[in-house]
Amino acid sequence: MRNRKSAAFYITLVLSLGLIYLLFFPAPTPELAVRKSLVTRDPAAALTGKVTEGRIKDDSRYGDLYFAEDTELSFIYVKKNRLGWHVTSSGTGP
């Protein structure tokens, strides 16, 4: 009985730490950063929507452009820092 409780505790701990990492830390890929940004606005599009890379690269102010089709904020800029990718700007047009 005690082994089951300790195993459940460790599973819960690992899942909680993983969720905290996904929510509060930059994403390891630009596409995941875009999807994380969409989760609060349109969860269905975050999971199933198409994310494509735009033509704007290494913009000094905003970063790289990505398109999230079929969403309200379809133009999303992401930039990389030493921890990973994060969204710098989003909107309906570049």
Side-chain angles (χ1 to χ4, degrees), residues 19-32:
L19 183 63
I20 288 170
Y21 175 78
L22 286 175
L23 292 176
F24 296 110
F25 286 92
T29 65
E31 182 180 342
L32 187 57

Side-chain angles (χ1 to χ4, degrees), residues 25 44 55-56 65 77 88:
F25 286 92
R55 291 185 181 181
I56 298 174
L65 175 64
Y77 283 92
T88 58

Side-chain angles (χ1 to χ4, degrees), residues 22 26-39 45-54 57 64-69 76-80 84-87:
L22 286 175
T29 65
E31 182 180 342
L32 187 57
V34 170
R35 291 187 186 283
K36 280 176 52 175
S37 170
L38 292 173
V39 164
L47 296 174
T48 61
K50 184 176 179 183
V51 176
T52 56
E53 196 171 357
K57 302 283 181 238
D64 299 345
L65 175 64
Y66 281 81
F67 300 107
E69 297 176 14
I76 300 174
Y77 283 92
V78 295
K79 203 170 197 179
K80 187 174 184 175
W85 294 88
H86 65 281
V87 172

